[in-house]
């Protein structure tokens, strides 16, 4: 089918069936602001930040959820559009406690960017700061601060459509709407597996990485792209580093994980700086460990293995390797066991 | 009102009693094969303990193989479900405009004093829980409340005392034994023109199919099935000019003609019996008084568009309607008017009732469809329209009770005959409802085109002695106001829209000069803030700000800038909301500003209520 044509802000653009107005606009370098829209999840058209004017339509339409149609004439920044967007941003700012000063999201918050782009200040009809909002701080990984939640629903779609953990849903009705886990319980009492996908999806500071709180602003941190050390999937991660120390880990939008991570990859990195971490080999003598050099330790292991093989036979020895080393290292381990020791007892912790 | 319910629920540690679990498991087993079974299961499960505690939610999730959070996410959307213990009797006091302008706030105070409760609380003896409700569809007896299934209307302090005393003494009426929910239709003043819809109401026993058959019932279905092609039925309805009676006035025949040719199966007919628009009470009379007519209309619609399955989505508070309809379905099925191969043809049609859960938005057709599918009642984006992709993605015709009930007469007597009734804009007859400050609030079926003056004077018994007409909210809570200059406008879709109102559901909320326009607007704003589904920002947050700002002005704490803000807000609501609820939430306000701006400004500048109705600052 030949591509069809529509007009955006006076210029014509071609599009293919199935594309939304937003797809066409972004593909043509026109930025239409969005908030609830989240990569590769069902567009809900709910936040109304992306509304555009379409000739002949009675109301404004959400660019993210409206299919492009041949001959459509679209305005993305007309006065009518800007007026509605500003009011939507005002309403969102007023819906919670949006004092950016100590907010973790400051500098990477999508609501803040919207307010800046449309020069919307906190409206004077904002809630008094003492409005009771639920604040969840009872687990080791995530903090949920509902005074910042804009009910975009991205976390719900991330949990349900990306991770398929189905741990959270939108609950209640109207202005009482709230993200709920099970019977509106804390995450720890729900089906949540702490993958942190909701954290990654949240456009504002409503879901926080607990250990990163107060550990530095986005612009103070350096990103290091690396591979998660935990399992064979090899997820790409961005390690956020400030002053030579890790602050947090986020999923990188790259093959194979496309931003997703599991609880271990996202939150299980604190061994890096842990005081209990092994820095030298230890040798146990008379029931107690003492630090040793690598040569001494390897000599000891080699001689003991040789002893056992010669006296008891090779089948008394087994090799057990780790999922946290590379495939090549695992290959060498089994080679050592089979070819040097002569045993087939080889296993791997990922079988657990 | 806060924007957030505060701290998380307490995580329960208790388990369900074995006998509770047994009953629950039986319910789940019985419903496992029902598509969209969550809401029916929740309704039935709630009957066991009066609420659905967390362990029960967990058991339902496991039993229906649904995510645990979806159970709570869905049930907490609907007003009628509870997850904490409640009293044996749920007292629901209506706070919507029709009851509000008739003194519902005073009656609420009386109720609170009588029960010794604040809203949301339960008496120590576990007998009563007091709740506020949006319009209960019983406005002809405003101010009104419902206690479990039973309506108590025309409340006074004395009456409230008596009612509560009766319940305390164990004298709770059984709704199934009542002849009707509110009033006897036969005692209303009737229009001299021949009725098309209400011809049986009050005259036949709604629990006896034979009574309906004796009046020619199911003759139209037989005629359609045995002598007409489906296309001919669609044509006949097109010829009739019948426009949807749910509020929007879309031509029914045209709607059917979009669905008829689609080859996707199965298709569905949905009868919209949610009747949540404040002031709207008409469908209840049809369902309680002549349930078979609704079923016959549905079956004809099913034949016309090629649907073999129908759902009646009836609001949860209409217990008697659901009871009568279910009985009618059973009888009609037993006698071969519903079921397989009707009248020896290949056409089969089955009907199932689905109960709402106390949500106005579920009357919106796509939210209704989501609800039947067992989800939160969030409207869907259109297009696609339900006629193309509705229930479970299949073509679904949604029509109002009154629309469908008009169909048998159209088939019996022809579309041309129907078209000859009413006005060129809107053919046929209409059930008008006159409520508010009139002497005899009632419904009346009349050929479309009755004027507001006739409705008020002839059928509403005129205004109360010594009072004069101030304004009328037309068509429901989401439409504009008209003033005395529009009293002679013929009430059809086109003329009322031109006058700045709307025919909507045909309800006319009449208000005399004792009404403060801000007080009225406040009740409207309470309604929208309570009923916004919360899916989109403008309506979720905007209806709350609308309420807060109007309340502030009403209380004498307003600023002139508030009016500018309200106008901006109303414009964004209209322009950027997702569905018609939000789009119309600011319409009454804009209309009031057009007609009564000086009165509103006086509240701000002079701290004065010209109607002398505000408690904060009497004139
Ligand atoms: C917020 C909202 C509430 C509605 N409530 C009802 C209702 O209670 N009953 C009804 O029949 N239609 C209601 N409607 C209209 C329906 O969406 C739909 O147009 C109607 O059921 C179609 O039937 P009809 O063409 O026969 O009128 C409502 C619409 C909106 C936007
Ligand atoms: S969530 Fe965004 S807008 Fe709100 S306080 Fe934080 S940075 Fe500011
Ligand atoms: S952490 Fe993962 S499982 Fe838990 S709610 Fe967030 S996305 Fe869902
Ligand atoms: S927690 Fe974040 S992602 Fe989830 S709804 Fe709130 S703002 Fe959106
Ligand atoms: S306009 Fe209101 S009712 Fe409609 S989708 Fe938006 S929040 Fe829901
Ligand atoms: S991004 Fe389109 S409606 Fe939210």
């Amino acid at each position: 089918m030949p591509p069809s044509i529509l007009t955006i802000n006076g210029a014509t653009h071609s599009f293919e069936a199935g594309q939304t107005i937003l797809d066409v606009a972004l593909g043509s370098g026109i930025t239409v602001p969005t908030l609830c829209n989240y990569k590769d999840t069902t567009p809900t058209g709910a936040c109304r930040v992306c509304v555009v004017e379409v000739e002949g339509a009675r109301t404004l339409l959400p660019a993210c959820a409206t299919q492009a149609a041949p001959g459509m004439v679209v305005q993305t920044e007309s006065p009518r559009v800007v007026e509605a967007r500003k009011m939507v941003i005002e309403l969102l700012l007023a819906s919670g406690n949006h004092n950016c000063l100590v907010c973790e999201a400051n500098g990477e918050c999508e609501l803040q960017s919207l307010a800046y782009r449309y020069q919307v200040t906190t409206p004077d009809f904002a809630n008094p700061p003492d409005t009771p909002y639920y604040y969840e701080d009872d687990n080791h990984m995530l903090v949920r601060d509902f005074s910042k939640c804009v009910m975009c629903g991205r976390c719900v779609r991330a949990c349900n459509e990306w991770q398929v953990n189905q741990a959270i849903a939108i609950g209640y009705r109207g202005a009482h709407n709230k993200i709920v886990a099970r019977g509106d319980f804390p995450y720890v009492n729900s089906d949540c597996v702490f993958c942190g996908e909701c954290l990654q999806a949240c456009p504002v500071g409503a879901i926080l990485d607990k250990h990163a709180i107060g550990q530095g602003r986005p612009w103070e941190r350096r990103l290091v792209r690396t591979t998660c050390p935990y399992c064979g999937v090899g997820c790409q991660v961005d390690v956020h580093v400030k002053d030579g120390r890790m602050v947090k880990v986020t999923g990188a939008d790259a093959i194979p994980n496309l931003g997703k991570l599991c609880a271990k990859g996202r939150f299980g990195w604190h061994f890096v700086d842990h005081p209990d971490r092994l820095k030298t080999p230890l040798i146990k003598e008379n029931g107690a460990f003492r630090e040793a050099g690598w040569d001494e330790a390897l000599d000891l292991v080699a001689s003991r293995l040789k002893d056992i093989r010669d006296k008891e036979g090779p089948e008394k020895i087994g090799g057990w390797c780790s999922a946290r080393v590379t495939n090549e290292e695992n290959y060498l381990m089994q080679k050592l066991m089979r070819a040097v020791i002569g045993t087939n007892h080889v296993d791997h912790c990922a079988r657990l | 009102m806060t924007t957030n319910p505060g701290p998380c629920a307490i995580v329960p540690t208790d388990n369900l009693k074995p006998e509770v679990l047994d009953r629950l498991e039986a319910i789940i087993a019985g419903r496992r094969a029902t598509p969209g079974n969550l809401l029916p299961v929740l309704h039935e499960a709630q009957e066991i303990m009066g609420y659905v505690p967390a362990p029960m939610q967990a058991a339902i999730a496991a039993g229906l193989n649904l995510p645990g959070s979806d159970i709570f996410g869905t049930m907490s959307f609907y007003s009628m479900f509870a997850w904490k213990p409640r009293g044996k009797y749920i007292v629901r006091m209506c706070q919507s405009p029709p009851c509000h302008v008739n003194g519902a706030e005073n009656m609420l105070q009386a109720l609170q004093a009588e029960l010794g409760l604040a809203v949301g609380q339960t008496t120590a003896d576990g007998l009563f829980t007091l709740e506020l409700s949006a319009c209960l569809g019983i406005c002809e007896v405003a101010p009104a409340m419902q206690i479990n299934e039973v309506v108590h209307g025309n409340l006074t302090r004395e009456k409230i005392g008596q009612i509560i005393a009766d319940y305390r003494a164990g004298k709770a009426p059984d709704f199934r034994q009542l002849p009707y929910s509110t009033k006897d239709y036969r005692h209303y003043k009737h229009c001299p023109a021949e009725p098309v819809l209400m011809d049986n109401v009050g005259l036949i026993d709604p629990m006896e199919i034979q009574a309906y058959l004796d009046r020619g019932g199911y003759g139209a279905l037989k005629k359609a099935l045995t002598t007409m092609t489906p296309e001919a039925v669609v044509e006949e309805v097109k010829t009739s000019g019948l426009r949807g009676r749910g509020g929007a006035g879309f031509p029914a025949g045209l709607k059917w003609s979009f669905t008829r040719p689609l080859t996707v199966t199965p298709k569905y007919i949905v009868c919209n019996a949610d009747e949540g628009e404040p002031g709207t009470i008409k469908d209840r009379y049809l369902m309680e008084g002549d349930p078979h007519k609704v079923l016959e209309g549905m079956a004809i619609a099913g034949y016309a568009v090629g649907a073999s399955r129908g759902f009646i989505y009836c609001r949860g508070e209409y217990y008697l309607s659901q009871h009568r309809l279910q009985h009618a379905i059973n009888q009609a099925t037993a006698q071969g008017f519903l079921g397989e191969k009707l009248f020896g043809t290949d056409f089969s049609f089955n009907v199932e009732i689905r109960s709402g859960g106390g949500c106005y938005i579920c009357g919106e057709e796509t939210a209704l469809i989501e609800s039947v599918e067992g989800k939160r009642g969030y409207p869907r984006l259109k297009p696609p329209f339900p006629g193309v992709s509705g229930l479970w993605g299949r073509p679904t015709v949604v029509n109002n009770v009154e629309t469908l009930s008009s169909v048998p007469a159209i088939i019996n007597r022809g579309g041309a005959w129907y078209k000859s009734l009413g006005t060129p804009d809107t053919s046929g007859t209409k059930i008008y409802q006159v409520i508010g400050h009139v002497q005899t609030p009632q419904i009346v079926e009349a050929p479309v085109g009755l004027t507001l003056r006739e409705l008020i004077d002839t059928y509403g018994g005129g205004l109360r002695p010594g009072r004069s007409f101030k304004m009328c909210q037309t068509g429901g809570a989401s439409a504009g106001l008209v003033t005395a200059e529009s009293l002679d406008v013929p009430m059809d879709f086109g003329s009322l829209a031109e006058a700045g109102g709307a025919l909507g559901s045909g309800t006319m909320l009449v208000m005399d000069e004792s009404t403060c326009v801000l007080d009225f607007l406040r009740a409207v704003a309470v309604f929208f803030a309570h009923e916004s589904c919360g899916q989109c920002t403008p309506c979720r947050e905007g209806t709350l700000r609308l309420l807060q700002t109007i309340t502030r002005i009403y209380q004498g704490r307003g600023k002139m800038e508030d009016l500018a803000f309200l106008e901006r807000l109303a414009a964004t609501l209209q322009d950027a909301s997702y569905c018609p609820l939000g789009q119309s939430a600011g319409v009454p306000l804009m209309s009031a500003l057009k007609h009564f701006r000086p009165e509103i400004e006086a509240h701000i500048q002079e701290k004065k209520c010209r109607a002398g109705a505000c408690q904060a600052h009497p004139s």
Side-chain angles (χ1 to χ4, degrees):
Chain A
M1 219 173 18
S4 314
I5 304 287
L6 57 59
T7 307
I8 304 182
N9 300 344
T12 54
H13 301 275
S14 63
F15 69 93
E16 280 155 30
Q19 284 193 300
T20 61
I21 297 177
L22 182 67
D23 294 334
V24 184
L26 294 185
S28 320
I30 301 165
T31 44
V32 176
T34 58
L35 185 63
C36 68
N37 195 45
Y38 193 57
K39 56 173 183 183
D40 298 335
T41 61
T42 321
T44 56
C47 77
R48 312 314 266 189
V49 164
C50 71
V51 285
V52 294
E53 195 171 338
V54 176
E55 235 175 66
R58 195 168 45 86
T59 61
L60 301 174
L61 298 175
C64 71
T66 306
Q67 302 275 311
M72 247 183 187
V73 179
V74 181
Q75 291 290 337
T76 68
E77 296 286 336
S78 65
R80 194 175 146 205
V81 167
V82 171
E83 173 60 22
R85 263 185 215 152
K86 280 184 159 174
M87 180 51 90
V88 166
I89 297 164
E90 264 180 68
L91 289 167
L92 288 174
L93 286 173
S95 73
N97 183 7
H98 291 285
N99 175 351
C100 306
L101 294 179
V102 291
C103 182
E104 272 308 305
N106 187 4
E108 51 188 8
C109 169
E110 295 183 26
L111 178 59
Q112 193 185 48
S113 311
L114 285 168
Y116 183 74
R117 172 166 171 179
Y118 289 97
Q119 292 290 299
V120 177
T121 54
T122 311
D124 62 3
F125 57 88
N127 271 333
D130 57 354
T131 305
Y133 291 101
Y134 170 55
Y135 188 88
E136 178 172 302
D137 188 19
D138 63 352
N139 68 70
H140 295 298
M141 290 158 262
L142 292 164
V143 166
R144 293 199 293 163
D145 178 358
F146 282 82
S147 76
K148 306 279 192 276
C149 175
V150 293
M151 284 311 300
C152 66
R154 276 161 61 157
C155 53
V156 174
R157 276 170 284 144
C159 185
N160 289 277
E161 297 184 31
W162 271 103
Q163 293 281 5
V164 203
N165 284 331
Q166 305 187 315
I168 48 178
I170 297 177
Y172 303 100
R173 190 169 81 212
H176 293 283
N177 268 5
K178 180 183 175 197
I179 304 302
V180 297
R182 282 251 159 197
D184 194 7
F185 300 154
Y187 272 3
V188 279
N189 300 98
S190 74
D191 303 319
C192 172
V193 298
F194 291 95
C195 66
E197 199 62 34
C198 51
L199 160 72
Q200 180 133 347
C202 184
V204 294
I207 307 179
L208 305 173
D209 186 326
K210 187 166 192 171
H211 291 280
I213 293 176
Q215 299 302 305
R217 293 305 199 180
W219 56 87
E220 298 166 340
R221 304 190 299 241
R222 190 164 61 87
L223 289 192
V224 179
R225 176 70 53 92
T226 184
T227 304
C228 170
Y230 273 104
C231 83
V233 172
C235 291
Q236 295 300 292
V237 298
D238 284 324
V239 177
H240 298 234
V241 181
K242 184 185 174 220
D243 302 334
R245 285 172 57 92
M246 283 176 76
V247 172
K248 68 173 174 183
V249 165
T250 52
D253 196 1
I255 302 285
N257 51 317
L258 304 175
K260 291 191 282 263
L261 290 178
C262 76
K264 292 193 287 183
R266 193 183 304 275
F267 299 114
W269 50 267
H270 296 276
F271 60 86
V272 173
D273 290 325
H274 202 280
D276 289 351
R277 188 172 169 186
L278 286 181
K279 299 197 178 76
T280 65
L282 301 176
I283 291 176
K284 200 177 206 176
E285 276 172 359
N286 306 321
F289 282 114
R290 71 166 169 83
E291 291 190 357
W294 282 106
D295 284 344
E296 187 194 1
L298 288 173
D299 283 350
L300 177 67
V301 171
S303 68
R304 293 287 295 125
L305 282 175
K306 215 161 140 220
D307 268 6
I308 295 168
R309 186 193 61 183
D310 295 348
K311 286 197 193 123
E312 314 280 344
E315 68 282 6
K316 295 291 179 190
I317 297 176
W320 202 356
C321 205
S322 166
R324 288 173 55 182
V325 302
T326 60
N327 280 348
E328 289 78 359
E329 288 161 327
N330 270 309
Y331 175 82
L332 290 173
M333 176 69 179
Q334 64 82 32
K335 201 74 183 169
L336 175 75
M337 286 299 126
R338 291 202 169 102
V340 180
I341 310 271
T343 178
N344 283 327
H345 299 329
V346 187
D347 216 330
H348 184 282
C349 72
R351 271 168 45 96
L352 282 180
Chain B
M1 184 182 287
T2 65
T3 54
N4 195 302
C8 252
I10 308 296
V11 182
T13 48
D14 52 326
N15 287 320
L16 296 177
K17 293 201 188 100
E19 63 269 24
V20 170
L21 210 57
D22 285 349
R23 273 182 72 185
L24 184 62
E25 267 161 17
I27 291 169
I28 292 170
R31 285 288 186 180
R32 200 162 275 134
T34 309
N37 46 18
L38 178 55
L39 281 145
V41 166
L42 283 170
H43 276 296
E44 288 171 32
Q46 179 154 279
E47 280 176 22
I48 305 177
M49 297 171 69
Y51 68 113
V52 185
M56 206 182 250
Q57 295 166 31
I60 292 171
L64 299 180
N65 199 16
L66 290 170
S69 53
D70 277 10
I71 309 297
F72 186 81
T74 303
M75 68 182 272
S76 60
F77 184 83
Y78 296 90
S79 300
M80 291 176 76
F81 295 120
W83 45 96
K84 293 183 195 135
R86 289 191 298 185
K88 182 173 174 198
Y89 301 115
I90 314 299
V91 182
R92 295 194 170 89
M93 180 71 213
C94 176
Q95 58 172 355
S96 284
C99 279
H100 183 84
V101 301
N102 273 312
E105 276 189 337
N106 292 337
M107 290 309 110
L108 177 64
Q109 278 177 5
L111 254 178
Q112 288 177 317
E114 185 62 43
L115 296 169
L117 291 181
V119 172
Q121 290 182 334
T122 301
T123 48
D125 58 9
L127 267 190
F128 300 100
T129 297
L130 178 60
E131 293 183 356
L132 283 174
S133 175
C135 180
L136 290 161
I138 48 180
C139 323
E140 70 273 46
V141 293
M145 65 177 175
Q146 200 164 331
I147 301 185
N148 290 4
E149 303 92 353
V150 179
V151 173
H152 300 277
N154 296 321
L155 295 176
T156 58
R157 277 172 204 278
E158 298 69 44
K159 213 167 161 188
I160 286 174
Q162 188 54 51
I163 293 164
I164 299 297
D166 282 351
Y167 276 86
R168 283 205 176 106
K171 286 186 273 177
D174 177 357
F175 75 99
R176 294 178 198 84
Q177 306 303 323
L178 302 174
Y180 35 77
S181 289
T182 55
K183 280 186 152 179
D184 191 339
Y185 174 71
R186 287 173 301 180
H187 296 162
Y188 287 162
K189 184 153 171 52
H190 298 297
C191 172
E194 183 197 4
V196 173
L197 290 153
M198 304 296 288
D199 49 347
N200 294 335
V201 176
L203 292 181
I204 65 168
D205 179 352
M207 298 293 272
E208 256 325 312
I209 190 171
Q210 194 54 48
Y212 184 63
L213 296 173
D214 289 346
R215 305 264 303 168
Y218 290 108
L221 179 61
K222 183 176 181 189
K223 179 178 175 189
L225 261 55
T226 55
T227 69
M228 295 168 81
T229 63
E231 288 77 9
V233 175
V234 173
E235 264 327 296
E236 204 60 49
V237 176
K238 266 188 165 173
T239 308
S240 77
L242 173 64
R243 295 179 66 171
R245 301 296 197 237
F250 194 82
L254 189 60
K255 186 185 277 187
W256 296 10
S257 73
F258 297 144
T259 302
R260 171 70 227 161
L262 301 179
T263 50
V264 184
T265 53
K267 301 178 191 173
Y268 299 100
I269 299 293
V270 172
C271 171
N272 190 340
D274 200 47
E275 191 143 274
E277 190 65 52
T280 311
I281 53 181
K282 64 189 175 75
D283 296 342
R284 171 167 45 80
Y285 285 84
L286 283 166
M287 293 187 284
E288 284 182 7
D290 198 8
H292 286 286
K293 188 174 266 131
V294 184
L295 301 178
E296 187 175 4
M298 285 180 76
I300 296 169
Y303 176 68
V305 304
S308 56
R309 190 130 178 231
F311 289 92
I312 303 177
Y313 189 86
C314 184
R315 67 175 299 173
E317 296 88 345
Y318 278 4
Y319 291 93
L320 190 57
S321 293
Q322 293 191 15
H323 175 65
R324 299 249 164 101
L325 281 166
Q326 188 57 56
H327 189 78
I329 292 170
N330 297 345
Q331 286 191 332
T333 309
Q335 300 213 10
F337 299 109
L338 291 178
E340 307 308 309
K341 301 205 178 299
L342 304 180
F343 296 101
T345 66
D346 277 342
F347 176 66
S348 303
F349 195 72
N350 289 289
V351 177
E352 196 182 315
I353 300 176
R354 285 298 169 90
S355 177
C359 285
Y360 167 63
I361 190 60
C362 290
E364 194 282 332
E365 55 189 6
T366 59
L368 184 158
I369 285 168
E370 289 279 300
S371 185
V372 174
E373 290 185 8
K375 305 184 208 147
R376 293 163 64 78
Y378 269 8
R380 292 179 181 172
L381 287 166
K382 294 192 246 189
F385 289 90
V388 174
S389 173
L391 265 175
W392 298 290
R394 304 304 155 129
T396 303
V397 166
V398 184
N399 273 131
N400 172 256
V401 172
E402 188 185 346
T403 315
L404 289 165
S405 302
S406 305
V407 170
I410 291 171
I411 297 305
N412 274 331
R413 302 168 70 169
W417 160 80
Y418 190 84
K419 176 95 192 148
S420 73
L421 308 172
T423 65
D425 175 88
T426 312
S427 59
T429 63
K430 174 83 196 88
I431 307 176
Y432 291 101
Q433 300 128 89
V434 58
I435 54 166
H437 295 156
V438 290
Q439 302 217 42
T440 55
Q442 66 160 59
I443 67 169
V444 59
E445 180 185 1
V448 174
L450 201 68
T451 66
L452 187 52
R453 190 185 302 280
E454 282 174 276
L455 182 66
I456 296 173
D457 291 346
T458 310
Y459 301 102
L463 293 166
R464 292 167 188 175
R467 294 284 173 81
S468 60
F469 178 86
K470 176 167 185 169
M471 58 188 175
C472 172
Q473 187 175 34
T474 53
S478 45
L481 297 164
V482 297
T483 52
E485 68 204 34
S486 303
L487 280 171
D488 295 311
V489 171
M491 294 188 289
D492 61 19
F493 282 107
S495 314
L496 269 173
E498 222 167 276
L503 179 59
S505 67
T507 182
M508 299 292 145
L509 173 57
V510 178
M511 288 167 277
D512 65 30
E513 88 277 317
S514 72
T515 320
C516 165
V517 71
L518 268 169
D519 188 34
F520 160 73
L521 288 174
R522 191 170 57 106
V524 174
V526 167
F527 175 75
F528 282 112
H530 192 261
E531 296 303 327
S532 163
C533 82
Q535 180 171 215
C536 71
T537 311
C539 173
R540 182 185 66 241
E541 307 298 337
T543 51
L544 180 70
R545 299 302 155 193
L546 209 58
L547 172 60
Q548 285 182 343
T549 312
I550 290 172
T551 304
R552 209 167 51 227
I553 301 175
Y554 167 79
Q555 291 171 340
R557 298 187 291 118
K559 299 173 290 200
M560 287 304 282
E561 301 92 274
D562 287 340
L563 295 185
F565 166 67
L566 285 175
E567 281 173 326
R568 276 180 61 219
L569 179 58
T572 299
L573 273 166
Q574 195 159 16
D575 219 12
S577 290
Y578 192 107
C579 87
L581 186 149
Q583 286 158 16
S584 58
V587 169
L589 169 77
M590 295 308 279
S591 177
L593 278 169
K594 184 172 144 228
H595 292 296
F596 302 103
R597 194 170 194 114
E599 182 183 333
I600 294 170
E601 288 181 349
H603 278 82
I604 300 175
Q605 293 176 319
E606 303 161 32
K607 309 270 178 263
K608 192 171 161 177
C609 176
R610 294 192 179 172
C614 298
Q615 282 143 353
H617 36 78
S619 61

